[in-house]
Amino acid sequence: MDFFILVWRNSFRKKIRFWLTCISVMVAFFLFSMLSGVNHALTVSVSDSNQYRLITSHKISLTQSLAINTQQKVAALAGVKQVSYASWFGGYFQNEKNQLAVTAVGHENYFTLFPEYLIPKQQLAQWQKTRTGIVIGQAIADKYGWKIGDQVPLSSSIWMNKSGSFNWSFTVAAIYKSKKQSAENNKIFFQHAYFDQGRAYAQNSVSWLSTEIKAQANVDSVIQSIDRLFAHTNSPTRTTTEQVFIKEQAQQFIDMAMVINLVVIAVFFTLLLIVCNTMIQTIRERSNESAMMKALGFSSMTLIKSIYFESLLLLGLGAGIGSLTAGILITFISQRFNDFLPGISLTPSHYITVFVLVNSAAAFCSAFPALAIKRIVISETLGGKS
Amino acid sequence: MKNNNDIILKDINKSYQKGDNTVVVLDHFNLTINSGEFVALMGPSGLGKSTLLHLMGGLDQPTSGEMVIGAQRIDNLKEAQFTKWRAENIGFVFQSHHLLPVLSAQGNVELPLALTPLNKKQRQEHASYALELVGMSDRSKHYPKELSGGQEQRVAIARAIVSDPNILLCDEPTGNLDRKTANEILAILAQLNRDFGKTIVMVTHDNKAAEYATRVINLESYMLEQNKCTVGEN
Ligand SMILES: Nc1ncnc2c1ncn2[C@@H]1O[C@H](COP(=O)(O)OP(=O)(O)O)[C@@H](O)[C@H]1O
Ligand SMILES: [Mg+2]
């Protein structure tokens, strides 16, 4: 009790120095928390995908299409449970600024392959019966105020329809909620059949296949057998797990994650030096007092504990304020950035990381003072006529 | 019943290694201080007075020799044992008070009691009593920077006696003080010796100290004397 009063008062002896150091701790942890919030968004959208689903696209690029009957050929392979397909629509609403993630999908089974999109049974059945029907995410429904039954015109920046227009008309048939943590409730799906018959060219083709493999099947051998099947055709394929696929798409983000980590490491290293230096200075200024306390019978361990708690207070206060400020800011910007980069958030594990970092930094920063305390020879320190 | 607090130094050697040189400070040194004495140790600078005091208080260890304090050998104690022994038996007063600036007079005096099993209230009482003994009751809430040099030294004495050690070791306690204040401090020490039976060893340059002490040792001539005896015996 008294011990902590002493720690508290000692901490604030040099108020300016305390607060300057504390602010640098604050800034570092603020930065760390903001970046880790962004990092969460990057890693979560990557690791949420089912690793037992495969994506097959044209070997050269995603913009080259595959024949629609590749679906049946893949479905016939051993180890494959079911196959669906999809094509990228490149949609927007009214204005090219309102970009939407619109995909034409095989309406028979696409959503059995992707159970993470939760659609009420009736609505799903209704959509499957509605040729022009769209399934929209809850976020889209909220944003545009669209309800089931609404007629919605969407435009494509890629696909012209048979009437020579880029405007396509749709009917809202179902609304889904994603059960994934990154809450990707901002997509739109419609029937591939409507797309294929409606478009002016490139009939009977799809952009990619999605394949679910059987639980006991070997992922790598299924991948190989799919690609081998088309190796010598006009459209050779490249198949990967969905995870790898999304990772590749997000490659520039992944690199950003590495940059973030490097920045964080650099900041922490600097921070450690600053705090360490402060603590060393502190203990040097107090060598007389430390020697006196030793002469009174206080052990080195008590003095070391006291300097540890001083470091802990300094770091804890700075880290606490810094991370909480970031946490508050992140709840604001995560709403703003939800379309662009969903999933910006601070997890409980981030706060645990902060806690661990603070404690180990405190231990590190009291290591040199601890040595200095251990080395104090009372008679030498107090003997002089200081 | 009064404890035996005799301080017996037998054939003490103390030398410091400075690079290749060995500085011999105490050479076959013998001294006995009886329980209840107030000894003034005098002598020129650099003679080894502080060293001697540090040895008696367990702040430093002799190169060789035997030290018995209160019928206990202390020259072979381990550091942790030494620390505990010191907290229970010795009070120090240095030329500089070394009070903690972040604690009030009361807080500073209570500090050593944190090492005892006394509870908060008892610690407050003991500290108040110690402050009363040195005439600082009315300043107990003051912080060191609000006190004069003499007052700081009084608080330091209160801190030295608060856990009721039998022996007080003072290294030039009046060295930084003016005549009048120095006299007040010496009077307090003399009172602690007379009324409370504290054994006091005080290093001083102050000739006035002789008037308060029960024995004055001029260390320079004492050492010469001892060496003569040793030579004479051979
Ligand atoms: N820690 C030390 N290391 C080396 N020499 C020391 C040390 N402490 C004291 N000495 C030497 O021992 C001698 C006695 O010192 P000291 O006991 O402080 O003298 P006094 O208190 O009588 O002035 C001096 O020559 C001093 O230089
Ligand atoms: Mg001295």
Side-chain angles (χ1 to χ4, degrees):
Chain A
M1 181 55 197
D2 287 340
F3 173 77
F4 288 107
I5 290 177
L6 198 59
V7 169
W8 179 263
R9 293 199 186 160
N10 272 333
S11 293
F12 294 101
R13 271 164 82 164
K14 304 262 168 161
K15 287 200 179 61
I16 293 179
R17 184 170 70 194
F18 179 88
W19 285 115
L20 284 179
T21 315
C22 193
I23 286 169
S24 56
V25 178
M26 250 182 253
V27 170
F29 275 89
F30 174 79
L31 202 71
F32 172 53
S33 299
M34 293 302 289
L35 293 178
S36 112
V38 173
N39 206 6
H40 178 254
L42 299 181
T43 48
V44 124
S45 54
V46 167
S47 59
D48 258 8
S49 310
N50 187 344
Q51 68 162 311
Y52 293 107
R53 279 193 310 235
L54 307 178
I55 283 205
T56 303
S57 63
H58 195 285
K59 194 173 185 177
I60 293 167
S61 106
L62 202 56
T63 57
Q64 308 243 12
S65 54
L66 302 172
I68 202 161
N69 65 4
T70 48
Q71 183 206 14
Q72 283 97 45
K73 291 179 186 165
V74 171
L77 290 171
V80 171
K81 194 169 167 195
Q82 54 177 334
V83 185
S84 191
Y85 49 85
S87 290
W88 185 242
F89 182 71
Y92 59 91
F93 178 60
Q94 286 176 345
N95 187 315
E96 294 224 24
K97 280 183 196 151
N98 302 323
Q99 288 290 337
L100 293 168
V102 184
T103 319
V105 299
H107 66 275
E108 306 86 355
N109 65 346
Y110 190 81
F111 289 106
T112 46
L113 254 108
F114 291 84
E116 62 263 42
Y117 301 111
L118 303 174
I119 308 171
K121 263 208 176 84
Q122 278 181 317
Q123 292 183 20
L124 181 62
Q126 186 58 38
W127 174 70
Q128 283 169 329
K129 280 187 284 183
T130 314
R131 256 174 56 80
T132 60
I134 49 176
V135 179
I136 64 174
Q138 184 68 50
I140 299 282
D142 293 342
K143 185 171 177 186
Y144 294 100
W146 293 342
K147 292 182 297 295
I148 303 233
D150 283 0
Q151 298 290 318
V152 174
L154 295 177
S155 309
S156 171
S157 41
I158 309 168
W159 299 105
M160 192 171 74
N161 55 33
K162 279 181 174 148
S163 52
S165 158
F166 286 87
N167 300 325
W168 297 61
S169 52
F170 295 100
T171 311
V172 178
I175 297 175
Y176 77 85
K177 283 199 183 97
S178 172
K179 73 174 173 198
K180 285 199 285 183
Q181 199 191 4
S182 53
E184 296 184 351
N185 283 321
N186 48 15
K187 292 183 179 166
I188 297 179
F189 303 95
F190 71 104
Q191 291 196 3
H192 204 280
Y194 172 48
F195 176 59
D196 207 31
Q197 284 153 29
R199 60 181 161 177
Y201 39 82
Q203 265 81 16
N204 293 322
S205 70
V206 298
S207 296
W208 69 85
L209 301 182
S210 280
T211 302
E212 186 182 356
I213 66 171
K214 288 178 179 155
Q216 70 277 16
N218 179 296
V219 180
D220 290 324
S221 65
V222 175
I223 287 176
Q224 279 173 17
S225 59
I226 294 175
D227 288 341
R228 210 181 302 128
L229 195 57
F230 304 105
H232 302 294
T233 65
N234 288 337
S235 340
T237 58
R238 175 158 189 274
T239 303
T240 62
T241 62
E242 204 168 273
Q243 241 182 356
V244 170
F245 179 79
I246 294 178
K247 237 182 213 165
E248 285 171 359
Q249 297 303 302
Q251 198 60 54
Q252 64 269 41
F253 284 148
I254 302 295
D255 286 347
M256 200 167 113
M258 202 184 74
V259 170
I260 288 173
N261 285 336
L262 286 178
V263 169
V264 166
I265 289 170
V267 167
F268 271 102
F269 187 69
T270 316
L271 179 77
L272 269 187
L273 294 186
I274 292 173
V275 177
C276 215
N277 183 46
T278 303
M279 292 334 285
I280 289 172
Q281 233 175 309
T282 300
I283 206 66
R284 193 170 293 158
E285 285 161 4
R286 292 188 210 152
S287 63
N288 278 343
E289 288 166 35
S290 304
M292 189 65 215
M293 288 190 66
K294 277 187 156 190
L296 289 176
F298 288 92
S299 64
S300 295
M301 210 49 223
T302 308
L303 296 174
I304 290 169
K305 254 192 253 166
S306 126
I307 203 78
Y308 171 76
F309 280 111
E310 268 189 55
S311 319
L312 197 61
L313 177 66
L314 179 61
L315 285 157
L317 197 64
I321 297 174
S323 320
L324 288 180
T325 313
I328 292 166
L329 201 65
I330 276 176
T331 53
F332 278 110
I333 63 168
S334 67
Q335 287 154 15
R336 286 271 169 123
F337 281 72
N338 205 32
D339 293 340
F340 166 64
L341 188 61
I344 299 179
S345 78
L346 285 183
T347 57
S349 79
H350 170 73
Y351 290 104
I352 293 171
T353 309
V354 168
F355 180 82
V356 171
L357 278 175
V358 164
N359 279 277
S360 31
F364 181 83
C365 293
S366 11
F368 291 102
L371 276 184
I373 288 171
K374 273 264 177 213
R375 282 210 200 101
I376 287 177
V377 178
I378 310 172
S379 56
E380 279 175 26
T381 313
L382 297 181
K385 297 159 181 69
S386 54
Chain B
M1 208 191 92
K2 198 88 190 86
N3 285 333
N4 162 24
N5 293 304
D6 295 352
I7 303 169
I8 301 161
L9 307 187
K10 262 193 233 164
D11 204 25
I12 297 291
N13 288 293
K14 178 67 185 175
S15 50
Y16 291 106
Q17 204 65 39
K18 262 189 184 164
D20 292 343
N21 296 3
T22 306
V23 182
V24 179
V25 183
L26 297 175
D27 184 17
H28 297 288
F29 184 84
N30 293 285
L31 176 65
T32 299
I33 293 169
N34 297 315
S35 257
E37 276 196 287
F38 181 177
V39 174
L41 265 182
M42 305 189 72
S45 280
L47 195 63
K49 304 183 298 296
S50 296
T51 303
L52 193 54
L53 213 61
H54 293 154
L55 290 178
M56 291 185 202
L59 297 183
D60 205 348
Q61 288 187 291
T63 315
S64 71
E66 191 180 323
M67 295 196 297
V68 178
I69 295 183
Q72 188 186 359
R73 278 287 291 268
I74 63 157
D75 50 273
N76 48 12
L77 290 181
K78 299 245 161 51
E79 191 188 323
Q81 296 171 307
F82 238 141
T83 308
K84 187 167 180 297
W85 173 84
R86 201 160 56 221
E88 286 164 3
N89 294 283
I90 306 285
F92 287 102
V93 180
F94 295 95
Q95 182 173 357
S96 302
H97 54 80
H98 300 306
L99 296 173
L100 300 191
V102 293
L103 296 180
S104 66
Q106 175 86 23
N108 267 290
V109 177
E110 274 181 41
L111 192 62
L113 298 179
L115 297 164
T116 67
L118 297 178
N119 66 30
K120 178 94 190 151
K121 187 157 168 291
Q122 290 168 321
R123 291 195 303 241
Q124 277 169 355
E125 283 167 6
H126 284 230
S128 301
Y129 181 54
L131 281 168
E132 195 184 312
L133 282 182
V134 297
M136 288 292 291
S137 292
D138 53 338
R139 299 296 161 98
S140 64
K141 300 237 154 46
H142 288 231
Y143 283 80
K145 66 170 186 291
E146 301 161 348
L147 299 172
S148 71
Q151 289 170 334
E152 285 174 319
Q153 200 58 301
R154 285 172 191 239
V155 176
I157 293 173
R159 180 179 60 187
I161 61 172
V162 72
S163 42
D164 200 26
N166 295 310
I167 298 167
L168 275 186
L169 301 177
C170 312
D171 198 347
E172 305 188 37
T174 60
N176 289 340
L177 305 176
D178 60 60
R179 182 69 264 151
K180 183 168 166 293
T181 317
N183 285 350
E184 288 166 7
I185 296 295
L186 289 169
I188 289 171
L189 292 175
Q191 187 206 359
L192 289 169
N193 170 250
R194 196 179 57 236
D195 299 347
F196 296 88
K198 303 287 176 207
T199 306
I200 301 180
V201 183
M202 174 175 69
V203 171
T204 185
H205 286 296
D206 186 352
N207 289 318
K208 251 317 212 189
E211 294 174 18
Y212 295 87
T214 58
R215 172 154 62 130
V216 178
I217 298 174
N218 189 314
L219 201 59
E220 198 171 28
S221 43
Y222 181 84
M223 283 172 160
L224 276 174
E225 195 92 354
Q226 271 204 331
N227 283 352
K228 249 189 250 157
C229 292
T230 329
V231 174
E233 275 165 15
N234 287 350

